[in-house]
Amino acid sequence: MAKTPRLLASAAALFLAVAAQAEPDLEAGAKLFSKCTSCHQIGSNTKKRVGPNLNELNGRIAGSIEDFPYSKSMTKAGQEGLIWTNETLDEFLADPKVYIPKTRMSYRGMKDPEDRLNLIAYLNTFSANMASHSAGDPHDLDPAILALVGDKEYGEYLSGDCKTCHQADGSAEGIPPITGWPVDDFVYVMHAYKNKDRNHPVMQMMAGRLSNEEIAALAAYFADLEE
Amino acid sequence: MTEFNRRLFLGTSTAAFGLLAAPAVMAAAHGKPRVVVIGGGAGGATAARYIAKDSDGAIDVTLVEPSRTYFSCFFSNLYLGGFKEMDDLGHTYGVLASKHGVNVVHDWAVDVDPDGKMVTLAGGSKLPYDKLILSPGIDFVDDAVEGWSVAEQNKMPHAYKAGSQTELLKAQIMAMPEGGTFAMVAPPNPFRCPPGPYERVSMVAHTLKANNPTAKIIIADPKEKFSKQGLFQEGWNKHYAGMIDWIGADFGGANVSVDADAMTVTIDGEETKVDVCNVIPAMKAGRIADMAGVTDGNWAPVNAIDMSSKANADIHVLGDSSQQGDMPKSGFSANSQAKVCANAVRGALTGSRVFPAKFSNTCWSLIDTDDGVKVGATYEATDEKIAQVDGFISSTGEDSATRKATYEESEGWYSGIVADMFS
């Protein structure tokens, strides 16, 4: 686990810098994805190809599709806590062989940050839990909300409500992990549920009763949680 | 000295208690403050774990639970349906001891002395406490169903405390003759797991459909309606058409007697010979709550703010045994209440920060393969009770992908709550 938070943090900074410049273009993302389709399928009725299917990719633990023959390094990255998020995908796609040495994915990388932003936004449209997060656009939120500094101790108490379903160690079995997310992402997603921009009845209800300060508190707590 | 301090503690209101910095007083009296938790289910295991984990050794936590392996009542219907193995439902207490320092005692608590603040175990040991947390689950009301008592539970299982009873019921279902009859006597409100009897009927129907498709299911129900009724009845028509006959109170479902030797069920005067009879009697708080003097009628009334008993500020009651207001009696509710209670107990004993009570619950039910539904709500503490704030329920007519996702989500929840209790 020691490695991941640092990667998340640096990637998040980079990603947010890009996100600030541009709105993602889903059509452009779909075109870019054509480079991937020889190995990866997405959408309904996917079959196993050379690469794993990319449905529900955002939030997935790296190397976690059962029976898929991942490289040892990809499996290991997942075991060490790597979760595919906007940020980690961005860094991986920029230079796969640097991010996951010895990955079997033979792709030289996508150098243009805007291309990566568009591609990830497109991929996210196939991740139910991330659909509205596709743009990763925390900047849509009132800056005052993003600027709130969360009370971690309060967040720890409030997290009791989350941990009935979301496991503290980041394991995901039917319910996405929420541990180790960048604070802005966490805040953005919770507000998207609160505002009913994201569709999930349990999460809309749970987020719906949280104040801005409480969401900030939870974000601060889960960002650094290592159990 | 100890006696003096206890009197002082008892005689001081909660508000003044904080101002007087009483935790220091308590520590001086007898070293570390002591919490005893009775019952190692969703309420008790969670409370013990959170108090021990979050107090970092500042509080001495003892968990009293007779069973060495806990079989969750939640998901036990899925065992009847063949979706889970019994082993999937079994969990042990080792990590609570090894990782969090909980003193796990496998014994029955047989008495509570609220004045001397002492719990007596069946083995004769005595456990003193500063705060006692009772989470004993349910017991059955005597003579609730005419002709049935616990002595008959092998002939007519309740299977409402998971484990051997659940296995027995499954074995009886599998041994039913071709075209035989499965009867259920459903309980009156309030009872553990409101959708539980109806999920059970769904799971029994699923098993019978595969093994004994001409078998019938009858349900004698003292209620006029039940949890997720629209969803269940839609599912029964879709998956098990013609198999299930629900007889509610309007049709005499409350007027029921059974004969365990003759294997008959009499509903509103009409006797039926059955092959399996699952009697789920009316319920009440686990008996230790009675002994602790915190019950009023069948249940133990509590203050919503911290789950403390209305009869005794140093005894908290969690989960099914508590009478708290709007929350259903469920594992999820007990787990949620335990965390509010743990925060309050820690605050009272060590001066740690106490935050406002927030509760939540979601109940998932499986109707057939990949056909999951759910109902849930959030709650807050008012002076009067735990009051519902918001809620949702699955819709009838949902597409199969939604239902499948709901089932998969329930499996994720199961892993989550078990980790929150035992890891």
Side-chain angles (χ1 to χ4, degrees):
Chain A
M1 275 309 279
K3 189 176 160 197
T4 312
R6 188 174 51 77
L7 287 177
L8 283 173
S10 61
L14 182 73
F15 180 80
L16 290 174
V18 172
Q21 294 164 6
E23 282 295 305
D25 179 341
L26 289 176
E27 219 168 295
K31 268 186 203 153
L32 287 162
F33 185 67
S34 64
K35 295 180 185 178
C36 317
T37 49
S38 55
C39 297
H40 293 285
Q41 290 205 326
I42 202 161
S44 54
N45 300 320
T46 57
K47 292 188 192 75
K48 198 188 235 176
R49 287 272 182 93
V50 175
N53 88 65
L54 300 178
N55 291 322
E56 307 299 341
L57 179 63
N58 208 320
R60 182 196 291 177
I61 295 171
S64 66
I65 288 191
E66 214 169 311
D67 299 331
F68 187 84
Y70 291 101
S71 62
K72 276 183 192 157
S73 53
M74 184 63 84
T75 305
K76 186 160 173 282
Q79 286 164 350
E80 286 174 353
L82 175 64
I83 292 162
W84 294 124
T85 63
N86 289 340
E87 295 72 34
T88 55
L89 281 170
D90 184 66
E91 198 164 335
F92 175 63
L93 289 171
D95 201 338
K97 299 272 186 202
V98 167
Y99 194 71
I100 306 277
K102 297 192 182 163
T103 176
R104 292 209 178 106
M105 186 165 103
S106 53
Y107 176 63
R108 65 186 181 285
M110 189 174 278
K111 301 304 170 202
D112 182 347
E114 200 176 324
D115 283 351
R116 297 198 298 273
L117 179 78
N118 294 336
L119 176 60
I120 293 167
Y122 174 73
L123 292 173
N124 283 343
T125 62
F126 296 90
S127 287
N129 65 319
M130 297 299 288
S132 316
H133 191 35
S134 54
D137 45 3
H139 296 268
D140 285 356
L141 272 179
D142 180 345
I145 288 176
L146 282 169
L148 287 170
V149 176
D151 173 348
K152 267 195 202 177
E153 204 180 339
Y154 189 27
E156 179 172 16
Y157 167 72
L158 292 169
S159 76
D161 256 356
C162 316
K163 289 175 185 163
T164 307
C165 298
H166 299 277
Q167 297 185 47
D169 67 2
S171 316
E173 296 154 73
I175 287 185
I178 55 171
T179 300
W181 282 31
V183 167
D184 281 1
D185 276 19
F186 194 103
V187 170
Y188 171 80
V189 167
M190 289 298 279
H191 280 278
Y193 283 122
K194 188 177 159 86
N195 301 332
K196 305 204 189 296
D197 292 334
R198 277 187 168 217
N199 293 319
H200 190 280
V202 178
M203 285 311 302
Q204 286 181 352
M205 179 180 80
M206 300 305 291
R209 68 162 169 181
L210 295 171
S211 68
N212 296 343
E213 288 75 16
E214 287 170 336
I215 288 173
L218 279 168
Y221 169 71
F222 276 112
D224 291 341
L225 178 62
E226 287 191 54
E227 193 164 288
Chain B
M1 188 59 194
T2 304
E3 199 51 35
F4 172 78
N5 282 328
R6 278 191 186 143
R7 286 212 190 102
L8 176 69
F9 177 41
L10 281 173
T12 311
S13 79
T14 313
F17 184 52
L19 295 172
L20 286 171
V25 175
M26 191 165 282
H30 48 230
K32 278 191 205 175
R34 291 173 292 213
V35 171
V36 174
V37 182
I38 298 177
T46 305
R49 179 173 177 267
Y50 271 75
I51 294 171
K53 172 170 79 72
D54 294 345
S55 70
D56 285 327
I59 298 174
D60 205 5
V61 181
T62 299
L63 176 64
V64 181
E65 164 56 50
S67 311
R68 281 161 175 78
T69 302
Y70 167 81
F71 289 99
S72 65
C73 216
F74 42 96
F75 266 35
S76 65
N77 285 329
L78 274 57
Y79 164 79
L80 298 177
F83 294 91
K84 296 289 164 193
E85 299 296 326
M86 206 30 116
D87 282 351
D88 298 335
L89 309 179
H91 310 280
T92 55
Y93 297 89
V95 176
L96 290 184
S98 63
K99 186 171 169 191
H100 304 298
V102 175
N103 176 25
V104 181
V105 178
H106 293 301
D107 201 345
W108 285 92
V110 293
D111 197 21
V112 175
D113 170 8
D115 298 324
K117 296 178 127 186
M118 190 76 76
V119 173
T120 305
L121 303 181
S125 310
K126 289 188 183 296
L127 299 171
Y129 65 82
D130 296 301
K131 294 281 181 189
L132 176 63
I133 298 173
L134 300 178
S135 191
I138 47 132
D139 271 320
F140 299 117
V141 174
D142 292 336
D143 303 321
V145 175
E146 191 187 328
W148 191 92
S149 75
V150 172
E152 268 75 52
Q153 71 170 16
N154 269 21
K155 291 173 191 153
M156 294 188 166
H158 55 77
Y160 232 64
K161 299 178 183 184
S164 52
Q165 275 277 301
T166 322
E167 291 179 291
L168 175 64
L169 185 62
K170 176 77 179 278
Q172 292 181 351
I173 293 163
M174 297 310 286
M176 277 171 65
E178 194 182 329
T181 301
F182 173 100
M184 171 187 280
V185 179
N189 291 323
F191 62 98
R192 160 181 284 182
C193 190
Y198 313 99
E199 180 187 58
R200 174 169 297 175
V201 162
S202 309
M203 291 294 95
V204 171
H206 175 84
T207 292
L208 289 175
K209 189 176 170 183
N211 298 288
N212 191 348
T214 55
K216 298 281 180 223
I217 297 174
I218 52 174
I219 311 156
D221 202 325
K223 304 181 292 294
E224 287 174 9
K225 54 190 171 63
F226 59 86
S227 172
K228 303 180 192 165
Q229 183 166 353
L231 295 165
F232 279 117
Q233 290 184 328
E234 176 195 53
W236 293 347
N237 284 330
K238 180 176 171 191
H239 303 296
Y240 316 116
M243 188 183 248
I244 299 167
D245 185 12
W246 178 73
I247 302 165
D250 297 343
F251 298 91
N255 182 13
V256 170
S257 64
V258 298
D259 184 329
D261 292 322
M263 284 305 287
T264 56
V265 180
T266 304
I267 304 168
D268 209 23
E270 189 179 330
E271 185 181 278
T272 307
K273 180 91 175 75
V274 300
D275 300 288
V276 178
C277 187
N278 175 207
V279 176
I280 310 174
M283 297 171 203
K284 62 181 182 181
R287 197 161 123 71
I288 195 72
D290 248 346
M291 294 173 180
V294 295
T295 52
D296 178 8
N298 285 337
W299 308 103
V302 295
N303 297 301
I305 194 165
D306 60 358
M307 303 303 291
S308 61
S309 161
K310 290 200 170 171
N312 188 322
D314 291 321
I315 300 179
H316 297 252
V317 187
L318 304 177
D320 295 350
S321 283
S322 67
Q323 179 184 310
Q324 32 69 21
D326 295 348
M327 295 184 83
K329 298 185 185 298
S330 73
F332 196 128
S333 292
N335 168 269
S336 173
Q337 292 159 9
K339 287 178 262 197
V340 169
C341 172
N343 180 250
V345 164
R346 262 191 332 119
L349 296 178
T350 67
S352 62
R353 289 168 72 189
V354 177
F355 299 105
K358 280 178 191 279
F359 305 93
S360 58
N361 175 66
T362 300
C363 289
W364 288 265
S365 302
L366 186 61
I367 300 176
D368 196 358
T369 308
D370 288 335
D371 192 358
V373 293
K374 58 185 171 182
V375 60
T378 54
Y379 305 85
E380 64 185 4
T382 66
D383 289 343
E384 186 201 348
K385 63 173 185 176
I386 296 181
Q388 182 169 338
V389 177
D390 195 6
F392 70 89
I393 184 165
S394 297
S395 314
T396 51
E398 278 172 337
D399 61 64
S400 58
T402 302
R403 292 296 177 88
K404 184 167 189 282
T406 300
Y407 174 59
E408 286 166 359
E409 184 180 274
S410 75
E411 292 198 291
W413 162 75
Y414 187 86
S415 305
I417 190 170
V418 164
D420 205 32
M421 292 162 66
F422 295 111
S423 74

